[in-house]
PDB file of all heavy atoms in Angstrom:
ATOM      1  N   THR A 420      -1.680   4.648 -16.034  1.00  0.00           N
ATOM      2  CA  THR A 420      -1.030   5.877 -15.685  1.00  0.00           C
ATOM      3  C   THR A 420      -0.275   6.473 -16.851  1.00  0.00           C
ATOM      4  O   THR A 420       0.482   5.717 -17.509  1.00  0.00           O
ATOM      5  CB  THR A 420      -0.045   5.591 -14.568  1.00  0.00           C
ATOM      6  OG1 THR A 420      -0.755   4.994 -13.470  1.00  0.00           O
ATOM      7  CG2 THR A 420       0.641   6.827 -14.067  1.00  0.00           C
ATOM      8  N   PRO A 421      -0.465   7.744 -17.166  1.00  0.00           N
ATOM      9  CA  PRO A 421       0.315   8.341 -18.256  1.00  0.00           C
ATOM     10  C   PRO A 421       1.787   8.214 -17.940  1.00  0.00           C
ATOM     11  O   PRO A 421       2.243   8.360 -16.788  1.00  0.00           O
ATOM     12  CB  PRO A 421      -0.143   9.811 -18.291  1.00  0.00           C
ATOM     13  CG  PRO A 421      -1.438   9.778 -17.593  1.00  0.00           C
ATOM     14  CD  PRO A 421      -1.423   8.684 -16.586  1.00  0.00           C
ATOM     15  N   HIS A 422       2.591   7.924 -18.956  1.00  0.00           N
ATOM     16  CA  HIS A 422       3.992   7.758 -18.776  1.00  0.00           C
ATOM     17  C   HIS A 422       4.692   9.088 -18.434  1.00  0.00           C
ATOM     18  O   HIS A 422       4.408  10.098 -19.024  1.00  0.00           O
ATOM     19  CB  HIS A 422       4.619   7.173 -20.057  1.00  0.00           C
ATOM     20  CG  HIS A 422       5.939   6.599 -19.821  1.00  0.00           C
ATOM     21  ND1 HIS A 422       7.049   7.339 -19.717  1.00  0.00           N
ATOM     22  CD2 HIS A 422       6.316   5.321 -19.719  1.00  0.00           C
ATOM     23  CE1 HIS A 422       8.086   6.596 -19.475  1.00  0.00           C
ATOM     24  NE2 HIS A 422       7.658   5.364 -19.515  1.00  0.00           N
ATOM     25  N   PRO A 423       5.571   9.111 -17.429  1.00  0.00           N
ATOM     26  CA  PRO A 423       6.168  10.361 -17.023  1.00  0.00           C
ATOM     27  C   PRO A 423       7.360  10.759 -17.919  1.00  0.00           C
ATOM     28  O   PRO A 423       7.865  11.839 -17.771  1.00  0.00           O
ATOM     29  CB  PRO A 423       6.692  10.091 -15.619  1.00  0.00           C
ATOM     30  CG  PRO A 423       7.060   8.630 -15.659  1.00  0.00           C
ATOM     31  CD  PRO A 423       6.033   8.003 -16.566  1.00  0.00           C
ATOM     32  N   SER A 424       7.828   9.879 -18.781  1.00  0.00           N
ATOM     33  CA  SER A 424       8.971  10.179 -19.566  1.00  0.00           C
ATOM     34  C   SER A 424       8.671   9.898 -21.045  1.00  0.00           C
ATOM     35  O   SER A 424       7.594  10.090 -21.520  1.00  0.00           O
ATOM     36  CB  SER A 424      10.156   9.398 -19.073  1.00  0.00           C
ATOM     37  OG  SER A 424       9.909   8.012 -19.077  1.00  0.00           O
ATOM     38  N   ALA A 425       9.682   9.395 -21.769  1.00  0.00           N
ATOM     39  CA  ALA A 425       9.514   9.101 -23.171  1.00  0.00           C
ATOM     40  C   ALA A 425       8.443   8.053 -23.392  1.00  0.00           C
ATOM     41  O   ALA A 425       8.181   7.253 -22.509  1.00  0.00           O
ATOM     42  CB  ALA A 425      10.857   8.643 -23.720  1.00  0.00           C
ATOM     43  N   SER A 426       7.835   8.008 -24.543  1.00  0.00           N
ATOM     44  CA  SER A 426       6.789   7.065 -24.835  1.00  0.00           C
ATOM     45  C   SER A 426       7.349   5.649 -24.750  1.00  0.00           C
ATOM     46  O   SER A 426       8.383   5.312 -25.337  1.00  0.00           O
ATOM     47  CB  SER A 426       6.241   7.266 -26.248  1.00  0.00           C
ATOM     48  OG  SER A 426       5.597   8.500 -26.301  1.00  0.00           O
ATOM     49  N   PRO A 427       6.648   4.771 -23.978  1.00  0.00           N
ATOM     50  CA  PRO A 427       7.082   3.396 -23.941  1.00  0.00           C
ATOM     51  C   PRO A 427       6.745   2.652 -25.213  1.00  0.00           C
ATOM     52  O   PRO A 427       5.847   3.070 -25.924  1.00  0.00           O
ATOM     53  CB  PRO A 427       6.319   2.820 -22.747  1.00  0.00           C
ATOM     54  CG  PRO A 427       5.084   3.642 -22.723  1.00  0.00           C
ATOM     55  CD  PRO A 427       5.424   5.005 -23.199  1.00  0.00           C
ATOM     56  N   THR A 428       7.428   1.552 -25.442  1.00  0.00           N
ATOM     57  CA  THR A 428       7.020   0.687 -26.541  1.00  0.00           C
ATOM     58  C   THR A 428       5.924  -0.198 -26.043  1.00  0.00           C
ATOM     59  O   THR A 428       6.137  -0.930 -25.106  1.00  0.00           O
ATOM     60  CB  THR A 428       8.255  -0.176 -27.012  1.00  0.00           C
ATOM     61  OG1 THR A 428       9.321   0.686 -27.254  1.00  0.00           O
ATOM     62  CG2 THR A 428       7.916  -0.945 -28.214  1.00  0.00           C
ATOM     63  N   PRO A 429       4.714  -0.121 -26.585  1.00  0.00           N
ATOM     64  CA  PRO A 429       3.587  -0.890 -26.015  1.00  0.00           C
ATOM     65  C   PRO A 429       3.743  -2.384 -26.304  1.00  0.00           C
ATOM     66  O   PRO A 429       4.346  -2.798 -27.260  1.00  0.00           O
ATOM     67  CB  PRO A 429       2.348  -0.316 -26.745  1.00  0.00           C
ATOM     68  CG  PRO A 429       2.889   0.226 -28.002  1.00  0.00           C
ATOM     69  CD  PRO A 429       4.303   0.685 -27.749  1.00  0.00           C
ATOM     70  N   SER A 430       3.212  -3.166 -25.398  1.00  0.00           N
ATOM     71  CA  SER A 430       3.169  -4.617 -25.610  1.00  0.00           C
ATOM     72  C   SER A 430       1.801  -5.123 -25.177  1.00  0.00           C
ATOM     73  O   SER A 430       1.405  -4.997 -24.034  1.00  0.00           O
ATOM     74  CB  SER A 430       4.232  -5.252 -24.670  1.00  0.00           C
ATOM     75  OG  SER A 430       4.110  -6.652 -24.692  1.00  0.00           O
ATOM     76  N   PRO A 431       0.979  -5.634 -26.163  1.00  0.00           N
ATOM     77  CA  PRO A 431      -0.387  -5.919 -25.888  1.00  0.00           C
ATOM     78  C   PRO A 431      -0.577  -6.988 -24.796  1.00  0.00           C
ATOM     79  O   PRO A 431      -1.575  -6.998 -24.118  1.00  0.00           O
ATOM     80  CB  PRO A 431      -0.934  -6.392 -27.234  1.00  0.00           C
ATOM     81  CG  PRO A 431       0.255  -6.705 -28.070  1.00  0.00           C
ATOM     82  CD  PRO A 431       1.376  -5.878 -27.528  1.00  0.00           C
ATOM     83  N   ALA A 432       0.357  -7.979 -24.662  1.00  0.00           N
ATOM     84  CA  ALA A 432       0.138  -9.015 -23.714  1.00  0.00           C
ATOM     85  C   ALA A 432       0.906  -8.847 -22.435  1.00  0.00           C
ATOM     86  O   ALA A 432       1.062  -9.705 -21.651  1.00  0.00           O
ATOM     87  CB  ALA A 432       0.566 -10.341 -24.352  1.00  0.00           C
ATOM     88  N   ARG A 433       1.389  -7.619 -22.210  1.00  0.00           N
ATOM     89  CA  ARG A 433       2.252  -7.362 -21.078  1.00  0.00           C
ATOM     90  C   ARG A 433       1.488  -7.671 -19.770  1.00  0.00           C
ATOM     91  O   ARG A 433       0.405  -7.252 -19.545  1.00  0.00           O
ATOM     92  CB  ARG A 433       2.684  -5.918 -21.215  1.00  0.00           C
ATOM     93  CG  ARG A 433       2.811  -4.988 -20.193  1.00  0.00           C
ATOM     94  CD  ARG A 433       3.401  -3.715 -20.777  1.00  0.00           C
ATOM     95  NE  ARG A 433       2.543  -2.555 -20.581  1.00  0.00           N
ATOM     96  CZ  ARG A 433       2.353  -1.623 -21.414  1.00  0.00           C
ATOM     97  NH1 ARG A 433       2.929  -1.652 -22.563  1.00  0.00           N
ATOM     98  NH2 ARG A 433       1.594  -0.607 -21.131  1.00  0.00           N
ATOM     99  N   GLY A 434       2.153  -8.462 -18.877  1.00  0.00           N
ATOM    100  CA  GLY A 434       1.565  -8.765 -17.588  1.00  0.00           C
ATOM    101  C   GLY A 434       0.445  -9.745 -17.564  1.00  0.00           C
ATOM    102  O   GLY A 434      -0.180  -9.962 -16.553  1.00  0.00           O
ATOM    103  N   GLU A 435       0.066 -10.346 -18.731  1.00  0.00           N
ATOM    104  CA  GLU A 435      -1.090 -11.240 -18.787  1.00  0.00           C
ATOM    105  C   GLU A 435      -0.944 -12.374 -17.748  1.00  0.00           C
ATOM    106  O   GLU A 435       0.107 -12.995 -17.630  1.00  0.00           O
ATOM    107  CB  GLU A 435      -1.250 -11.825 -20.146  1.00  0.00           C
ATOM    108  CG  GLU A 435      -2.650 -12.363 -20.445  1.00  0.00           C
ATOM    109  CD  GLU A 435      -2.798 -12.743 -21.856  1.00  0.00           C
ATOM    110  OE1 GLU A 435      -2.405 -11.965 -22.744  1.00  0.00           O
ATOM    111  OE2 GLU A 435      -3.348 -13.800 -22.094  1.00  0.00           O
ATOM    112  N   GLY A 436      -2.036 -12.654 -16.986  1.00  0.00           N
ATOM    113  CA  GLY A 436      -1.987 -13.708 -15.998  1.00  0.00           C
ATOM    114  C   GLY A 436      -1.497 -13.213 -14.639  1.00  0.00           C
ATOM    115  O   GLY A 436      -1.636 -13.936 -13.638  1.00  0.00           O
ATOM    116  N   LYS A 437      -0.929 -12.041 -14.525  1.00  0.00           N
ATOM    117  CA  LYS A 437      -0.420 -11.485 -13.270  1.00  0.00           C
ATOM    118  C   LYS A 437      -1.611 -11.063 -12.394  1.00  0.00           C
ATOM    119  O   LYS A 437      -2.677 -10.769 -12.890  1.00  0.00           O
ATOM    120  CB  LYS A 437       0.422 -10.256 -13.536  1.00  0.00           C
ATOM    121  CG  LYS A 437       1.873 -10.547 -13.937  1.00  0.00           C
ATOM    122  CD  LYS A 437       2.565  -9.261 -14.273  1.00  0.00           C
ATOM    123  CE  LYS A 437       3.270  -8.701 -13.103  1.00  0.00           C
ATOM    124  NZ  LYS A 437       4.094  -7.560 -13.500  1.00  0.00           N
ATOM    125  N   LEU A 438      -1.371 -11.034 -11.111  1.00  0.00           N
ATOM    126  CA  LEU A 438      -2.316 -10.505 -10.163  1.00  0.00           C
ATOM    127  C   LEU A 438      -1.902  -9.055  -9.825  1.00  0.00           C
ATOM    128  O   LEU A 438      -0.733  -8.805  -9.529  1.00  0.00           O
ATOM    129  CB  LEU A 438      -2.411 -11.360  -8.874  1.00  0.00           C
ATOM    130  CG  LEU A 438      -2.953 -12.772  -9.034  1.00  0.00           C
ATOM    131  CD1 LEU A 438      -2.876 -13.477  -7.726  1.00  0.00           C
ATOM    132  CD2 LEU A 438      -4.391 -12.748  -9.555  1.00  0.00           C
ATOM    133  N   ILE A 439      -2.903  -8.197  -9.858  1.00  0.00           N
ATOM    134  CA  ILE A 439      -2.625  -6.750  -9.543  1.00  0.00           C
ATOM    135  C   ILE A 439      -3.335  -6.444  -8.235  1.00  0.00           C
ATOM    136  O   ILE A 439      -4.565  -6.563  -8.137  1.00  0.00           O
ATOM    137  CB  ILE A 439      -3.156  -5.868 -10.647  1.00  0.00           C
ATOM    138  CG1 ILE A 439      -2.672  -6.276 -12.014  1.00  0.00           C
ATOM    139  CG2 ILE A 439      -2.827  -4.383 -10.379  1.00  0.00           C
ATOM    140  CD1 ILE A 439      -1.204  -6.122 -12.277  1.00  0.00           C
ATOM    141  N   ALA A 440      -2.584  -5.974  -7.223  1.00  0.00           N
ATOM    142  CA  ALA A 440      -3.196  -5.624  -5.940  1.00  0.00           C
ATOM    143  C   ALA A 440      -4.011  -4.370  -6.081  1.00  0.00           C
ATOM    144  O   ALA A 440      -3.569  -3.361  -6.617  1.00  0.00           O
ATOM    145  CB  ALA A 440      -2.078  -5.366  -4.898  1.00  0.00           C
ATOM    146  N   LEU A 441      -5.300  -4.450  -5.652  1.00  0.00           N
ATOM    147  CA  LEU A 441      -6.218  -3.353  -5.721  1.00  0.00           C
ATOM    148  C   LEU A 441      -6.576  -2.765  -4.381  1.00  0.00           C
ATOM    149  O   LEU A 441      -7.105  -1.644  -4.275  1.00  0.00           O
ATOM    150  CB  LEU A 441      -7.519  -3.782  -6.412  1.00  0.00           C
ATOM    151  CG  LEU A 441      -7.463  -4.262  -7.828  1.00  0.00           C
ATOM    152  CD1 LEU A 441      -8.831  -4.495  -8.389  1.00  0.00           C
ATOM    153  CD2 LEU A 441      -6.732  -3.229  -8.739  1.00  0.00           C
ATOM    154  N   GLY A 442      -6.351  -3.516  -3.293  1.00  0.00           N
ATOM    155  CA  GLY A 442      -6.706  -3.027  -1.959  1.00  0.00           C
ATOM    156  C   GLY A 442      -6.531  -4.072  -0.922  1.00  0.00           C
ATOM    157  O   GLY A 442      -6.017  -5.178  -1.199  1.00  0.00           O
ATOM    158  N   VAL A 443      -6.919  -3.728   0.321  1.00  0.00           N
ATOM    159  CA  VAL A 443      -6.778  -4.657   1.438  1.00  0.00           C
ATOM    160  C   VAL A 443      -7.965  -4.469   2.358  1.00  0.00           C
ATOM    161  O   VAL A 443      -8.403  -3.357   2.564  1.00  0.00           O
ATOM    162  CB  VAL A 443      -5.437  -4.439   2.192  1.00  0.00           C
ATOM    163  CG1 VAL A 443      -5.306  -3.088   2.787  1.00  0.00           C
ATOM    164  CG2 VAL A 443      -5.178  -5.552   3.224  1.00  0.00           C
ATOM    165  N   PHE A 444      -8.476  -5.606   2.876  1.00  0.00           N
ATOM    166  CA  PHE A 444      -9.595  -5.518   3.816  1.00  0.00           C
ATOM    167  C   PHE A 444      -9.105  -4.964   5.165  1.00  0.00           C
ATOM    168  O   PHE A 444      -8.053  -5.336   5.628  1.00  0.00           O
ATOM    169  CB  PHE A 444     -10.187  -6.923   4.047  1.00  0.00           C
ATOM    170  CG  PHE A 444     -11.010  -7.444   2.916  1.00  0.00           C
ATOM    171  CD1 PHE A 444     -10.686  -8.638   2.292  1.00  0.00           C
ATOM    172  CD2 PHE A 444     -12.160  -6.760   2.488  1.00  0.00           C
ATOM    173  CE1 PHE A 444     -11.445  -9.135   1.249  1.00  0.00           C
ATOM    174  CE2 PHE A 444     -12.928  -7.252   1.464  1.00  0.00           C
ATOM    175  CZ  PHE A 444     -12.575  -8.438   0.811  1.00  0.00           C
ATOM    176  N   GLY A 445      -9.946  -4.101   5.734  1.00  0.00           N
ATOM    177  CA  GLY A 445      -9.691  -3.597   7.053  1.00  0.00           C
ATOM    178  C   GLY A 445     -10.668  -4.206   8.052  1.00  0.00           C
ATOM    179  O   GLY A 445     -11.146  -5.333   7.843  1.00  0.00           O
ATOM    180  N   ALA A 446     -11.010  -3.449   9.077  1.00  0.00           N
ATOM    181  CA  ALA A 446     -11.903  -3.910  10.130  1.00  0.00           C
ATOM    182  C   ALA A 446     -13.339  -3.964   9.640  1.00  0.00           C
ATOM    183  O   ALA A 446     -13.676  -3.336   8.667  1.00  0.00           O
ATOM    184  CB  ALA A 446     -11.792  -2.959  11.310  1.00  0.00           C
ATOM    185  N   PRO A 447     -14.193  -4.783  10.335  1.00  0.00           N
ATOM    186  CA  PRO A 447     -15.590  -4.791  10.022  1.00  0.00           C
ATOM    187  C   PRO A 447     -16.224  -3.394  10.269  1.00  0.00           C
ATOM    188  O   PRO A 447     -15.705  -2.636  11.106  1.00  0.00           O
ATOM    189  CB  PRO A 447     -16.185  -5.799  10.990  1.00  0.00           C
ATOM    190  CG  PRO A 447     -15.088  -6.386  11.743  1.00  0.00           C
ATOM    191  CD  PRO A 447     -13.839  -5.633  11.494  1.00  0.00           C
ATOM    192  N   GLN A 448     -17.329  -3.134   9.610  1.00  0.00           N
ATOM    193  CA  GLN A 448     -18.021  -1.882   9.776  1.00  0.00           C
ATOM    194  C   GLN A 448     -19.469  -2.294  10.177  1.00  0.00           C
ATOM    195  O   GLN A 448     -20.242  -2.770   9.389  1.00  0.00           O
ATOM    196  CB  GLN A 448     -18.096  -1.111   8.461  1.00  0.00           C
ATOM    197  CG  GLN A 448     -18.893   0.198   8.492  1.00  0.00           C
ATOM    198  CD  GLN A 448     -18.133   1.335   9.143  1.00  0.00           C
ATOM    199  OE1 GLN A 448     -16.900   1.245   9.345  1.00  0.00           O
ATOM    200  NE2 GLN A 448     -18.802   2.396   9.450  1.00  0.00           N
ATOM    201  N   GLY A 449     -19.784  -2.066  11.452  1.00  0.00           N
ATOM    202  CA  GLY A 449     -21.110  -2.448  11.962  1.00  0.00           C
ATOM    203  C   GLY A 449     -21.256  -3.930  12.174  1.00  0.00           C
ATOM    204  O   GLY A 449     -20.264  -4.675  12.258  1.00  0.00           O
ATOM    205  N   VAL A 450     -22.514  -4.425  12.300  1.00  0.00           N
ATOM    206  CA  VAL A 450     -22.744  -5.831  12.666  1.00  0.00           C
ATOM    207  C   VAL A 450     -23.373  -6.618  11.549  1.00  0.00           C
ATOM    208  O   VAL A 450     -23.653  -7.812  11.749  1.00  0.00           O
ATOM    209  CB  VAL A 450     -23.661  -5.869  13.926  1.00  0.00           C
ATOM    210  CG1 VAL A 450     -22.961  -5.257  15.129  1.00  0.00           C
ATOM    211  CG2 VAL A 450     -25.005  -5.210  13.674  1.00  0.00           C
ATOM    212  N   ARG A 451     -23.588  -6.042  10.389  1.00  0.00           N
ATOM    213  CA  ARG A 451     -24.298  -6.755   9.318  1.00  0.00           C
ATOM    214  C   ARG A 451     -23.349  -7.294   8.200  1.00  0.00           C
ATOM    215  O   ARG A 451     -23.809  -7.564   7.093  1.00  0.00           O
ATOM    216  CB  ARG A 451     -25.354  -5.869   8.693  1.00  0.00           C
ATOM    217  CG  ARG A 451     -26.435  -5.523   9.735  1.00  0.00           C
ATOM    218  CD  ARG A 451     -27.524  -4.719   9.109  1.00  0.00           C
ATOM    219  NE  ARG A 451     -28.523  -4.411  10.122  1.00  0.00           N
ATOM    220  CZ  ARG A 451     -29.588  -3.730   9.889  1.00  0.00           C
ATOM    221  NH1 ARG A 451     -29.864  -3.269   8.703  1.00  0.00           N
ATOM    222  NH2 ARG A 451     -30.469  -3.460  10.818  1.00  0.00           N
ATOM    223  N   GLY A 452     -22.062  -7.399   8.469  1.00  0.00           N
ATOM    224  CA  GLY A 452     -21.195  -8.050   7.530  1.00  0.00           C
ATOM    225  C   GLY A 452     -20.476  -7.065   6.611  1.00  0.00           C
ATOM    226  O   GLY A 452     -19.670  -7.484   5.798  1.00  0.00           O
ATOM    227  N   GLU A 453     -20.689  -5.758   6.772  1.00  0.00           N
ATOM    228  CA  GLU A 453     -19.934  -4.827   5.945  1.00  0.00           C
ATOM    229  C   GLU A 453     -18.469  -4.790   6.449  1.00  0.00           C
ATOM    230  O   GLU A 453     -18.181  -5.019   7.639  1.00  0.00           O
ATOM    231  CB  GLU A 453     -20.545  -3.441   6.004  1.00  0.00           C
ATOM    232  CG  GLU A 453     -21.831  -3.308   5.266  1.00  0.00           C
ATOM    233  CD  GLU A 453     -22.361  -1.910   5.185  1.00  0.00           C
ATOM    234  OE1 GLU A 453     -22.270  -1.211   6.183  1.00  0.00           O
ATOM    235  OE2 GLU A 453     -22.775  -1.480   4.076  1.00  0.00           O
ATOM    236  N   VAL A 454     -17.563  -4.487   5.535  1.00  0.00           N
ATOM    237  CA  VAL A 454     -16.134  -4.511   5.891  1.00  0.00           C
ATOM    238  C   VAL A 454     -15.484  -3.284   5.226  1.00  0.00           C
ATOM    239  O   VAL A 454     -15.887  -2.863   4.115  1.00  0.00           O
ATOM    240  CB  VAL A 454     -15.481  -5.834   5.428  1.00  0.00           C
ATOM    241  CG1 VAL A 454     -15.545  -6.014   3.942  1.00  0.00           C
ATOM    242  CG2 VAL A 454     -14.028  -5.904   5.931  1.00  0.00           C
ATOM    243  N   ARG A 455     -14.485  -2.763   5.845  1.00  0.00           N
ATOM    244  CA  ARG A 455     -13.714  -1.646   5.291  1.00  0.00           C
ATOM    245  C   ARG A 455     -12.687  -2.202   4.329  1.00  0.00           C
ATOM    246  O   ARG A 455     -12.149  -3.260   4.511  1.00  0.00           O
ATOM    247  CB  ARG A 455     -13.026  -0.801   6.386  1.00  0.00           C
ATOM    248  CG  ARG A 455     -13.999  -0.167   7.334  1.00  0.00           C
ATOM    249  CD  ARG A 455     -13.260   0.602   8.407  1.00  0.00           C
ATOM    250  NE  ARG A 455     -14.215   1.077   9.416  1.00  0.00           N
ATOM    251  CZ  ARG A 455     -13.903   1.859  10.382  1.00  0.00           C
ATOM    252  NH1 ARG A 455     -12.708   2.355  10.503  1.00  0.00           N
ATOM    253  NH2 ARG A 455     -14.849   2.235  11.250  1.00  0.00           N
ATOM    254  N   ILE A 456     -12.435  -1.376   3.290  1.00  0.00           N
ATOM    255  CA  ILE A 456     -11.369  -1.742   2.307  1.00  0.00           C
ATOM    256  C   ILE A 456     -10.512  -0.507   2.109  1.00  0.00           C
ATOM    257  O   ILE A 456     -11.031   0.595   1.821  1.00  0.00           O
ATOM    258  CB  ILE A 456     -11.975  -2.166   0.969  1.00  0.00           C
ATOM    259  CG1 ILE A 456     -12.806  -3.441   1.123  1.00  0.00           C
ATOM    260  CG2 ILE A 456     -10.869  -2.357  -0.068  1.00  0.00           C
ATOM    261  CD1 ILE A 456     -13.492  -3.876  -0.201  1.00  0.00           C
ATOM    262  N   LYS A 457      -9.228  -0.659   2.236  1.00  0.00           N
ATOM    263  CA  LYS A 457      -8.317   0.406   1.844  1.00  0.00           C
ATOM    264  C   LYS A 457      -7.970   0.169   0.353  1.00  0.00           C
ATOM    265  O   LYS A 457      -7.406  -0.865   0.024  1.00  0.00           O
ATOM    266  CB  LYS A 457      -7.027   0.417   2.649  1.00  0.00           C
ATOM    267  CG  LYS A 457      -6.076   1.507   2.255  1.00  0.00           C
ATOM    268  CD  LYS A 457      -4.801   1.518   3.075  1.00  0.00           C
ATOM    269  CE  LYS A 457      -3.944   2.702   2.530  1.00  0.00           C
ATOM    270  NZ  LYS A 457      -2.674   2.735   3.251  1.00  0.00           N
ATOM    271  N   SER A 458      -8.430   1.122  -0.472  1.00  0.00           N
ATOM    272  CA  SER A 458      -8.251   0.951  -1.924  1.00  0.00           C
ATOM    273  C   SER A 458      -6.906   1.518  -2.369  1.00  0.00           C
ATOM    274  O   SER A 458      -6.510   2.572  -1.905  1.00  0.00           O
ATOM    275  CB  SER A 458      -9.386   1.689  -2.623  1.00  0.00           C
ATOM    276  OG  SER A 458      -9.256   1.650  -4.003  1.00  0.00           O
ATOM    277  N   TYR A 459      -6.280   0.797  -3.317  1.00  0.00           N
ATOM    278  CA  TYR A 459      -5.039   1.277  -3.871  1.00  0.00           C
ATOM    279  C   TYR A 459      -5.263   1.993  -5.221  1.00  0.00           C
ATOM    280  O   TYR A 459      -4.329   2.454  -5.827  1.00  0.00           O
ATOM    281  CB  TYR A 459      -4.075   0.083  -4.163  1.00  0.00           C
ATOM    282  CG  TYR A 459      -3.670  -0.746  -2.984  1.00  0.00           C
ATOM    283  CD1 TYR A 459      -3.275  -2.097  -3.171  1.00  0.00           C
ATOM    284  CD2 TYR A 459      -3.706  -0.266  -1.679  1.00  0.00           C
ATOM    285  CE1 TYR A 459      -2.920  -2.865  -2.118  1.00  0.00           C
ATOM    286  CE2 TYR A 459      -3.336  -1.081  -0.613  1.00  0.00           C
ATOM    287  CZ  TYR A 459      -2.949  -2.393  -0.844  1.00  0.00           C
ATOM    288  OH  TYR A 459      -2.575  -3.205   0.194  1.00  0.00           O
ATOM    289  N   THR A 460      -6.511   1.996  -5.677  1.00  0.00           N
ATOM    290  CA  THR A 460      -6.766   2.575  -6.997  1.00  0.00           C
ATOM    291  C   THR A 460      -6.905   4.115  -6.922  1.00  0.00           C
ATOM    292  O   THR A 460      -7.228   4.661  -5.881  1.00  0.00           O
ATOM    293  CB  THR A 460      -8.034   1.990  -7.597  1.00  0.00           C
ATOM    294  OG1 THR A 460      -9.185   2.227  -6.708  1.00  0.00           O
ATOM    295  CG2 THR A 460      -7.916   0.502  -7.821  1.00  0.00           C
ATOM    296  N   ARG A 461      -6.594   4.753  -8.040  1.00  0.00           N
ATOM    297  CA  ARG A 461      -6.643   6.227  -8.075  1.00  0.00           C
ATOM    298  C   ARG A 461      -8.020   6.746  -7.662  1.00  0.00           C
ATOM    299  O   ARG A 461      -8.133   7.650  -6.854  1.00  0.00           O
ATOM    300  CB  ARG A 461      -6.303   6.719  -9.478  1.00  0.00           C
ATOM    301  CG  ARG A 461      -6.155   8.240  -9.574  1.00  0.00           C
ATOM    302  CD  ARG A 461      -5.893   8.665 -11.000  1.00  0.00           C
ATOM    303  NE  ARG A 461      -4.700   8.075 -11.564  1.00  0.00           N
ATOM    304  CZ  ARG A 461      -4.568   7.633 -12.805  1.00  0.00           C
ATOM    305  NH1 ARG A 461      -5.562   7.753 -13.644  1.00  0.00           N
ATOM    306  NH2 ARG A 461      -3.476   7.102 -13.224  1.00  0.00           N
ATOM    307  N   ASP A 462      -9.087   6.167  -8.247  1.00  0.00           N
ATOM    308  CA  ASP A 462     -10.449   6.412  -7.785  1.00  0.00           C
ATOM    309  C   ASP A 462     -10.760   5.282  -6.852  1.00  0.00           C
ATOM    310  O   ASP A 462     -10.894   4.136  -7.289  1.00  0.00           O
ATOM    311  CB  ASP A 462     -11.456   6.433  -8.982  1.00  0.00           C
ATOM    312  CG  ASP A 462     -12.877   6.465  -8.538  1.00  0.00           C
ATOM    313  OD1 ASP A 462     -13.140   6.603  -7.324  1.00  0.00           O
ATOM    314  OD2 ASP A 462     -13.743   6.271  -9.399  1.00  0.00           O
TER     315      ASP A 462
END
């Protein structure tokens, strides 16, 4: 995400090893194993 304020000081290893939440499973879709996912990503 572009920074909303002054330029941050970058850190190449920032957050390494962390888990980032991308979404959550919802209800099944149909009978063949498809599942809904609520995505947290911009796209």
Side-chain angles (χ1 to χ4, degrees):
T420 303
H422 197 285
S424 58
S426 294
T428 307
S430 173
R433 140 175 122 219
E435 198 171 316
K437 278 174 94 172
L438 292 177
I439 308 293
L441 297 185
V443 62
F444 286 119
Q448 177 81 12
V450 296
R451 297 186 179 179
E453 288 187 316
V454 63
R455 296 179 189 189
I456 296 175
K457 180 179 179 182
S458 176
Y459 301 155
T460 58
R461 186 183 302 141
D462 170 8

